[in-house]
Amino acid sequence: FEAGLKTEPLPGVIANFTAYRTSIDDFQVSVVSNQAGTLRGYLANAEQVIVQGVEFDGSWQVNDRFNLYGNVAWTDGKYESFTEAPPALEDSGGAVGQVDASGTRLPGLSEWAASFGGECALPGDLGGRSGEFFVAADASYRSEFSSSPTESGYLNIDGYTLLNARIGFRGDDGWTGYLWARNALDEEYFEMLNAGGSSSGYYAGLLGDPRTYGVTLRGRF
């Protein structure tokens, strides 16, 4: 079920709202079992999953040279019924090979997520080409989330914010060149944490990309 509202309350201003609720029966979950003698990765079946939330996205064309945009989302996702889930990392190694994870949150979903950005452009010439110089930046945030199908105190990932920026020239003839930086503040974060197999108790993390920068030249013929 989904309901939304698309509006333009002022000239150049767009504000859209959406609320939704999704129920899925027989949801397949990719899990990693850390029990001794168990196949490490397999598909488990969650009897029912419910995801619901509210989203906002909007933009503001302040003038011909400056615009802002952003979105905010609140999400609540949980297993309504998941009676044969693998044990959490801290419960591995015992006689229990399956647990009831009903009512716990889904992995990979942050309760809050947001992104904001803007661009400013000024007319000009570069190397005999007419066009515009521009500078832009955007930031994205997500709150902490579980990285394990069965929630574990060791496999929750802290929230983080990433900042990206770019500056360059856009020609009227279709040529664009700019300097860019991703994760400009060099935020250290995990994208994923995974439990090891065979009831060893270890877990491994996939690190997010560090600060990355470069130059892009794009043309159209």
Side-chain angles (χ1 to χ4, degrees), residues 35-50:
Q35 295 298 104
T38 303
L39 183 64
R40 186 170 180 229
Y42 63 95
L43 284 176
N45 185 71
E47 293 86 348
Q48 187 178 43
V49 163
I50 292 179

PDB file of all heavy atoms in Angstrom, residues 35-50:
ATOM      1  N   GLN A  35      27.463 -22.132  12.608  1.00  0.00           N
ATOM      2  CA  GLN A  35      27.441 -23.366  13.386  1.00  0.00           C
ATOM      3  C   GLN A  35      28.395 -24.393  12.791  1.00  0.00           C
ATOM      4  O   GLN A  35      28.530 -24.507  11.573  1.00  0.00           O
ATOM      5  CB  GLN A  35      26.021 -23.955  13.416  1.00  0.00           C
ATOM      6  CG  GLN A  35      25.012 -23.067  14.148  1.00  0.00           C
ATOM      7  CD  GLN A  35      25.379 -22.881  15.604  1.00  0.00           C
ATOM      8  OE1 GLN A  35      25.878 -21.838  15.993  1.00  0.00           O
ATOM      9  NE2 GLN A  35      25.145 -23.895  16.408  1.00  0.00           N
ATOM     10  N   ALA A  36      29.057 -25.139  13.618  1.00  0.00           N
ATOM     11  CA  ALA A  36      29.980 -26.174  13.146  1.00  0.00           C
ATOM     12  C   ALA A  36      29.226 -27.214  12.330  1.00  0.00           C
ATOM     13  O   ALA A  36      28.129 -27.644  12.693  1.00  0.00           O
ATOM     14  CB  ALA A  36      30.672 -26.833  14.334  1.00  0.00           C
ATOM     15  N   GLY A  37      29.813 -27.616  11.214  1.00  0.00           N
ATOM     16  CA  GLY A  37      29.230 -28.653  10.389  1.00  0.00           C
ATOM     17  C   GLY A  37      28.063 -28.204   9.547  1.00  0.00           C
ATOM     18  O   GLY A  37      27.357 -29.044   8.987  1.00  0.00           O
ATOM     19  N   THR A  38      27.846 -26.897   9.437  1.00  0.00           N
ATOM     20  CA  THR A  38      26.727 -26.382   8.660  1.00  0.00           C
ATOM     21  C   THR A  38      27.235 -25.646   7.434  1.00  0.00           C
ATOM     22  O   THR A  38      28.239 -24.939   7.502  1.00  0.00           O
ATOM     23  CB  THR A  38      25.878 -25.403   9.506  1.00  0.00           C
ATOM     24  OG1 THR A  38      25.432 -26.085  10.675  1.00  0.00           O
ATOM     25  CG2 THR A  38      24.681 -24.900   8.737  1.00  0.00           C
ATOM     26  N   LEU A  39      26.552 -25.821   6.308  1.00  0.00           N
ATOM     27  CA  LEU A  39      26.903 -25.087   5.101  1.00  0.00           C
ATOM     28  C   LEU A  39      26.913 -23.604   5.426  1.00  0.00           C
ATOM     29  O   LEU A  39      25.969 -23.082   6.014  1.00  0.00           O
ATOM     30  CB  LEU A  39      25.873 -25.388   4.005  1.00  0.00           C
ATOM     31  CG  LEU A  39      26.122 -24.752   2.630  1.00  0.00           C
ATOM     32  CD1 LEU A  39      27.395 -25.306   2.024  1.00  0.00           C
ATOM     33  CD2 LEU A  39      24.929 -25.010   1.730  1.00  0.00           C
ATOM     34  N   ARG A  40      27.970 -22.913   5.050  1.00  0.00           N
ATOM     35  CA  ARG A  40      28.175 -21.548   5.529  1.00  0.00           C
ATOM     36  C   ARG A  40      27.112 -20.580   5.029  1.00  0.00           C
ATOM     37  O   ARG A  40      26.554 -19.802   5.780  1.00  0.00           O
ATOM     38  CB  ARG A  40      29.561 -21.063   5.102  1.00  0.00           C
ATOM     39  CG  ARG A  40      29.890 -19.702   5.684  1.00  0.00           C
ATOM     40  CD  ARG A  40      31.336 -19.332   5.459  1.00  0.00           C
ATOM     41  NE  ARG A  40      31.593 -18.022   6.032  1.00  0.00           N
ATOM     42  CZ  ARG A  40      32.205 -17.037   5.402  1.00  0.00           C
ATOM     43  NH1 ARG A  40      32.588 -17.208   4.165  1.00  0.00           N
ATOM     44  NH2 ARG A  40      32.419 -15.881   5.985  1.00  0.00           N
ATOM     45  N   GLY A  41      26.834 -20.580   3.744  1.00  0.00           N
ATOM     46  CA  GLY A  41      25.851 -19.660   3.203  1.00  0.00           C
ATOM     47  C   GLY A  41      24.689 -20.398   2.565  1.00  0.00           C
ATOM     48  O   GLY A  41      24.892 -21.396   1.862  1.00  0.00           O
ATOM     49  N   TYR A  42      23.471 -19.931   2.810  1.00  0.00           N
ATOM     50  CA  TYR A  42      22.309 -20.582   2.203  1.00  0.00           C
ATOM     51  C   TYR A  42      21.131 -19.631   2.261  1.00  0.00           C
ATOM     52  O   TYR A  42      21.181 -18.573   2.901  1.00  0.00           O
ATOM     53  CB  TYR A  42      21.976 -21.892   2.922  1.00  0.00           C
ATOM     54  CG  TYR A  42      21.564 -21.738   4.379  1.00  0.00           C
ATOM     55  CD1 TYR A  42      20.219 -21.665   4.741  1.00  0.00           C
ATOM     56  CD2 TYR A  42      22.521 -21.672   5.380  1.00  0.00           C
ATOM     57  CE1 TYR A  42      19.833 -21.526   6.060  1.00  0.00           C
ATOM     58  CE2 TYR A  42      22.148 -21.531   6.711  1.00  0.00           C
ATOM     59  CZ  TYR A  42      20.808 -21.460   7.043  1.00  0.00           C
ATOM     60  OH  TYR A  42      20.441 -21.316   8.361  1.00  0.00           O
ATOM     61  N   LEU A  43      20.064 -19.985   1.583  1.00  0.00           N
ATOM     62  CA  LEU A  43      18.835 -19.199   1.586  1.00  0.00           C
ATOM     63  C   LEU A  43      17.882 -19.756   2.631  1.00  0.00           C
ATOM     64  O   LEU A  43      17.545 -20.930   2.606  1.00  0.00           O
ATOM     65  CB  LEU A  43      18.165 -19.216   0.211  1.00  0.00           C
ATOM     66  CG  LEU A  43      18.793 -18.352  -0.885  1.00  0.00           C
ATOM     67  CD1 LEU A  43      18.060 -18.562  -2.199  1.00  0.00           C
ATOM     68  CD2 LEU A  43      18.756 -16.885  -0.497  1.00  0.00           C
ATOM     69  N   ALA A  44      17.472 -18.909   3.548  1.00  0.00           N
ATOM     70  CA  ALA A  44      16.470 -19.291   4.542  1.00  0.00           C
ATOM     71  C   ALA A  44      15.141 -18.643   4.170  1.00  0.00           C
ATOM     72  O   ALA A  44      15.084 -17.720   3.344  1.00  0.00           O
ATOM     73  CB  ALA A  44      16.911 -18.850   5.930  1.00  0.00           C
ATOM     74  N   ASN A  45      14.081 -19.112   4.787  1.00  0.00           N
ATOM     75  CA  ASN A  45      12.747 -18.606   4.470  1.00  0.00           C
ATOM     76  C   ASN A  45      12.145 -17.920   5.686  1.00  0.00           C
ATOM     77  O   ASN A  45      11.962 -18.540   6.736  1.00  0.00           O
ATOM     78  CB  ASN A  45      11.837 -19.753   4.022  1.00  0.00           C
ATOM     79  CG  ASN A  45      10.486 -19.256   3.564  1.00  0.00           C
ATOM     80  OD1 ASN A  45      10.375 -18.645   2.520  1.00  0.00           O
ATOM     81  ND2 ASN A  45       9.463 -19.510   4.363  1.00  0.00           N
ATOM     82  N   ALA A  46      11.868 -16.634   5.536  1.00  0.00           N
ATOM     83  CA  ALA A  46      11.142 -15.888   6.571  1.00  0.00           C
ATOM     84  C   ALA A  46       9.669 -15.879   6.177  1.00  0.00           C
ATOM     85  O   ALA A  46       9.316 -15.453   5.064  1.00  0.00           O
ATOM     86  CB  ALA A  46      11.681 -14.467   6.686  1.00  0.00           C
ATOM     87  N   GLU A  47       8.818 -16.334   7.080  1.00  0.00           N
ATOM     88  CA  GLU A  47       7.407 -16.497   6.733  1.00  0.00           C
ATOM     89  C   GLU A  47       6.743 -15.183   6.328  1.00  0.00           C
ATOM     90  O   GLU A  47       5.913 -15.141   5.423  1.00  0.00           O
ATOM     91  CB  GLU A  47       6.645 -17.120   7.902  1.00  0.00           C
ATOM     92  CG  GLU A  47       7.059 -18.554   8.204  1.00  0.00           C
ATOM     93  CD  GLU A  47       8.263 -18.639   9.144  1.00  0.00           C
ATOM     94  OE1 GLU A  47       8.911 -17.596   9.377  1.00  0.00           O
ATOM     95  OE2 GLU A  47       8.556 -19.741   9.641  1.00  0.00           O
ATOM     96  N   GLN A  48       7.111 -14.074   7.010  1.00  0.00           N
ATOM     97  CA  GLN A  48       6.515 -12.786   6.647  1.00  0.00           C
ATOM     98  C   GLN A  48       7.452 -11.652   7.043  1.00  0.00           C
ATOM     99  O   GLN A  48       8.050 -11.663   8.120  1.00  0.00           O
ATOM    100  CB  GLN A  48       5.154 -12.591   7.315  1.00  0.00           C
ATOM    101  CG  GLN A  48       4.426 -11.335   6.829  1.00  0.00           C
ATOM    102  CD  GLN A  48       3.062 -11.177   7.474  1.00  0.00           C
ATOM    103  OE1 GLN A  48       2.910 -11.390   8.670  1.00  0.00           O
ATOM    104  NE2 GLN A  48       2.062 -10.805   6.692  1.00  0.00           N
ATOM    105  N   VAL A  49       7.547 -10.677   6.153  1.00  0.00           N
ATOM    106  CA  VAL A  49       8.350  -9.472   6.375  1.00  0.00           C
ATOM    107  C   VAL A  49       7.466  -8.260   6.139  1.00  0.00           C
ATOM    108  O   VAL A  49       6.653  -8.246   5.212  1.00  0.00           O
ATOM    109  CB  VAL A  49       9.562  -9.448   5.406  1.00  0.00           C
ATOM    110  CG1 VAL A  49      10.169  -8.064   5.321  1.00  0.00           C
ATOM    111  CG2 VAL A  49      10.611 -10.460   5.836  1.00  0.00           C
ATOM    112  N   ILE A  50       7.623  -7.234   6.985  1.00  0.00           N
ATOM    113  CA  ILE A  50       6.880  -5.988   6.816  1.00  0.00           C
ATOM    114  C   ILE A  50       7.868  -4.825   6.792  1.00  0.00           C
ATOM    115  O   ILE A  50       8.720  -4.705   7.675  1.00  0.00           O
ATOM    116  CB  ILE A  50       5.849  -5.782   7.934  1.00  0.00           C
ATOM    117  CG1 ILE A  50       4.719  -6.816   7.818  1.00  0.00           C
ATOM    118  CG2 ILE A  50       5.269  -4.368   7.884  1.00  0.00           C
ATOM    119  CD1 ILE A  50       3.663  -6.694   8.890  1.00  0.00           C
TER     120      ILE A  50
END
